[in-house]
PDB file of all heavy atoms in Angstrom:
ATOM      1  N   MET Z   1     -62.527 -35.954-117.993  1.00 60.00           N
ATOM      2  CA  MET Z   1     -63.101 -36.564-116.747  1.00 60.00           C
ATOM      3  C   MET Z   1     -64.088 -35.593-116.129  1.00 60.00           C
ATOM      4  O   MET Z   1     -63.859 -34.399-116.172  1.00 60.00           O
ATOM      5  CB  MET Z   1     -62.010 -36.965-115.832  1.00 60.00           C
ATOM      6  CG  MET Z   1     -62.615 -37.640-114.548  1.00 60.00           C
ATOM      7  SD  MET Z   1     -61.861 -39.048-113.813  1.00 60.00           S
ATOM      8  CE  MET Z   1     -61.260 -40.057-115.042  1.00 60.00           C
ATOM      9  N   GLY Z   6     -70.480 -25.934-109.595  1.00 91.00           N
ATOM     10  CA  GLY Z   6     -70.891 -25.097-108.423  1.00 91.00           C
ATOM     11  C   GLY Z   6     -72.285 -25.330-107.968  1.00 91.00           C
ATOM     12  O   GLY Z   6     -72.648 -25.277-106.834  1.00 91.00           O
ATOM     13  N   GLN Z   7     -73.227 -25.619-108.937  1.00 93.00           N
ATOM     14  CA  GLN Z   7     -74.662 -25.817-108.690  1.00 93.00           C
ATOM     15  C   GLN Z   7     -74.924 -27.123-107.952  1.00 93.00           C
ATOM     16  O   GLN Z   7     -75.948 -27.451-107.514  1.00 93.00           O
ATOM     17  CB  GLN Z   7     -75.474 -25.604-109.950  1.00 93.00           C
ATOM     18  CG  GLN Z   7     -75.246 -26.656-110.989  1.00 93.00           C
ATOM     19  CD  GLN Z   7     -74.224 -26.052-112.031  1.00 93.00           C
ATOM     20  OE1 GLN Z   7     -73.284 -25.351-111.713  1.00 93.00           O
ATOM     21  NE2 GLN Z   7     -74.414 -26.516-113.340  1.00 93.00           N
ATOM     22  N   LEU Z  25     -78.983 -34.539-101.073  1.00 97.00           N
ATOM     23  CA  LEU Z  25     -78.027 -34.566-102.110  1.00 97.00           C
ATOM     24  C   LEU Z  25     -78.858 -35.009-103.503  1.00 97.00           C
ATOM     25  O   LEU Z  25     -78.469 -34.342-104.515  1.00 97.00           O
ATOM     26  CB  LEU Z  25     -76.907 -35.611-101.820  1.00 97.00           C
ATOM     27  CG  LEU Z  25     -75.983 -35.289-100.711  1.00 97.00           C
ATOM     28  CD1 LEU Z  25     -75.246 -36.541-100.324  1.00 97.00           C
ATOM     29  CD2 LEU Z  25     -75.051 -34.079-101.052  1.00 97.00           C
ATOM     30  N   THR Z  34     -83.914 -32.993-114.321  1.00 79.00           N
ATOM     31  CA  THR Z  34     -85.301 -33.226-113.964  1.00 79.00           C
ATOM     32  C   THR Z  34     -85.936 -34.428-114.615  1.00 79.00           C
ATOM     33  O   THR Z  34     -86.994 -34.810-114.116  1.00 79.00           O
ATOM     34  CB  THR Z  34     -86.161 -31.952-114.161  1.00 79.00           C
ATOM     35  OG1 THR Z  34     -86.068 -31.591-115.564  1.00 79.00           O
ATOM     36  CG2 THR Z  34     -85.673 -30.812-113.338  1.00 79.00           C
ATOM     37  N   LEU Z  51     -76.353 -52.522 -99.124  1.00 95.00           N
ATOM     38  CA  LEU Z  51     -75.305 -53.449 -99.425  1.00 95.00           C
ATOM     39  C   LEU Z  51     -74.148 -53.237 -98.493  1.00 95.00           C
ATOM     40  O   LEU Z  51     -73.366 -54.140 -98.190  1.00 95.00           O
ATOM     41  CB  LEU Z  51     -74.776 -53.209-100.812  1.00 95.00           C
ATOM     42  CG  LEU Z  51     -75.702 -53.561-101.880  1.00 95.00           C
ATOM     43  CD1 LEU Z  51     -75.093 -53.232-103.292  1.00 95.00           C
ATOM     44  CD2 LEU Z  51     -76.192 -55.012-101.917  1.00 95.00           C
ATOM     45  N   PHE Z  77     -71.427 -32.451-104.039  1.00 96.00           N
ATOM     46  CA  PHE Z  77     -70.795 -32.366-102.799  1.00 96.00           C
ATOM     47  C   PHE Z  77     -71.571 -31.799-101.783  1.00 96.00           C
ATOM     48  O   PHE Z  77     -72.318 -30.794-102.027  1.00 96.00           O
ATOM     49  CB  PHE Z  77     -69.421 -31.496-102.994  1.00 96.00           C
ATOM     50  CG  PHE Z  77     -68.686 -31.207-101.746  1.00 96.00           C
ATOM     51  CD1 PHE Z  77     -67.777 -32.051-101.261  1.00 96.00           C
ATOM     52  CD2 PHE Z  77     -68.995 -30.045-101.028  1.00 96.00           C
ATOM     53  CE1 PHE Z  77     -67.026 -31.824-100.084  1.00 96.00           C
ATOM     54  CE2 PHE Z  77     -68.257 -29.764 -99.835  1.00 96.00           C
ATOM     55  CZ  PHE Z  77     -67.294 -30.629 -99.401  1.00 96.00           C
ATOM     56  N   ASN Z  91     -67.410 -45.756 -87.348  1.00 96.00           N
ATOM     57  CA  ASN Z  91     -68.487 -45.274 -86.439  1.00 96.00           C
ATOM     58  C   ASN Z  91     -68.489 -43.836 -85.994  1.00 96.00           C
ATOM     59  O   ASN Z  91     -68.934 -43.540 -84.908  1.00 96.00           O
ATOM     60  CB  ASN Z  91     -68.541 -46.207 -85.184  1.00 96.00           C
ATOM     61  CG  ASN Z  91     -68.925 -47.598 -85.532  1.00 96.00           C
ATOM     62  OD1 ASN Z  91     -69.900 -47.848 -86.263  1.00 96.00           O
ATOM     63  ND2 ASN Z  91     -68.229 -48.596 -84.999  1.00 96.00           N
ATOM     64  N   LEU Z 111     -65.813 -46.286-112.158  1.00 90.00           N
ATOM     65  CA  LEU Z 111     -64.863 -46.850-111.254  1.00 90.00           C
ATOM     66  C   LEU Z 111     -63.695 -45.788-111.156  1.00 90.00           C
ATOM     67  O   LEU Z 111     -63.134 -45.612-110.063  1.00 90.00           O
ATOM     68  CB  LEU Z 111     -64.400 -48.185-111.586  1.00 90.00           C
ATOM     69  CG  LEU Z 111     -65.442 -49.356-111.435  1.00 90.00           C
ATOM     70  CD1 LEU Z 111     -64.942 -50.597-111.999  1.00 90.00           C
ATOM     71  CD2 LEU Z 111     -65.952 -49.434-110.078  1.00 90.00           C
ATOM     72  N   PRO Z 124     -55.655 -35.866 -95.580  1.00 96.00           N
ATOM     73  CA  PRO Z 124     -56.167 -35.120 -94.405  1.00 96.00           C
ATOM     74  C   PRO Z 124     -56.206 -33.590 -94.761  1.00 96.00           C
ATOM     75  O   PRO Z 124     -56.963 -32.837 -94.277  1.00 96.00           O
ATOM     76  CB  PRO Z 124     -55.352 -35.587 -93.336  1.00 96.00           C
ATOM     77  CG  PRO Z 124     -54.298 -36.413 -93.727  1.00 96.00           C
ATOM     78  CD  PRO Z 124     -54.645 -36.771 -95.271  1.00 96.00           C
ATOM     79  N   THR Z 138     -64.014 -21.791-103.429  1.00 90.00           N
ATOM     80  CA  THR Z 138     -62.903 -22.452-102.700  1.00 90.00           C
ATOM     81  C   THR Z 138     -63.018 -23.990-102.767  1.00 90.00           C
ATOM     82  O   THR Z 138     -62.072 -24.766-103.114  1.00 90.00           O
ATOM     83  CB  THR Z 138     -62.732 -22.058-101.256  1.00 90.00           C
ATOM     84  OG1 THR Z 138     -62.631 -20.617-101.307  1.00 90.00           O
ATOM     85  CG2 THR Z 138     -61.545 -22.649-100.537  1.00 90.00           C
ATOM     86  N   GLU Z 141     -62.367 -25.082-106.300  1.00 88.00           N
ATOM     87  CA  GLU Z 141     -60.885 -24.908-106.680  1.00 88.00           C
ATOM     88  C   GLU Z 141     -60.118 -26.176-106.003  1.00 88.00           C
ATOM     89  O   GLU Z 141     -59.313 -26.745-106.618  1.00 88.00           O
ATOM     90  CB  GLU Z 141     -60.349 -23.625-106.179  1.00 88.00           C
ATOM     91  CG  GLU Z 141     -58.964 -23.315-106.745  1.00 88.00           C
ATOM     92  CD  GLU Z 141     -58.007 -23.336-105.648  1.00 88.00           C
ATOM     93  OE1 GLU Z 141     -58.216 -22.882-104.543  1.00 88.00           O
ATOM     94  OE2 GLU Z 141     -56.968 -24.101-105.802  1.00 88.00           O
ATOM     95  N   ARG Z 145     -58.849 -28.453-108.789  1.00 72.00           N
ATOM     96  CA  ARG Z 145     -57.511 -28.287-108.934  1.00 72.00           C
ATOM     97  C   ARG Z 145     -56.691 -29.535-108.433  1.00 72.00           C
ATOM     98  O   ARG Z 145     -55.744 -29.963-109.020  1.00 72.00           O
ATOM     99  CB  ARG Z 145     -56.988 -27.084-108.197  1.00 72.00           C
ATOM    100  CG  ARG Z 145     -55.511 -26.719-108.513  1.00 72.00           C
ATOM    101  CD  ARG Z 145     -54.864 -25.906-107.440  1.00 72.00           C
ATOM    102  NE  ARG Z 145     -54.871 -26.632-106.229  1.00 72.00           N
ATOM    103  CZ  ARG Z 145     -54.659 -26.144-105.094  1.00 72.00           C
ATOM    104  NH1 ARG Z 145     -54.493 -24.825-104.866  1.00 72.00           N
ATOM    105  NH2 ARG Z 145     -54.524 -26.945-103.961  1.00 72.00           N
TER     106      ARG Z 145
END
Side-chain angles (χ1 to χ4, degrees):
M1 181 141 322
Q7 63 267 31
L25 291 167
T34 56
L51 296 174
F77 174 84
N91 292 315
L111 292 174
T138 303
E141 192 256 311
R145 186 201 66 198

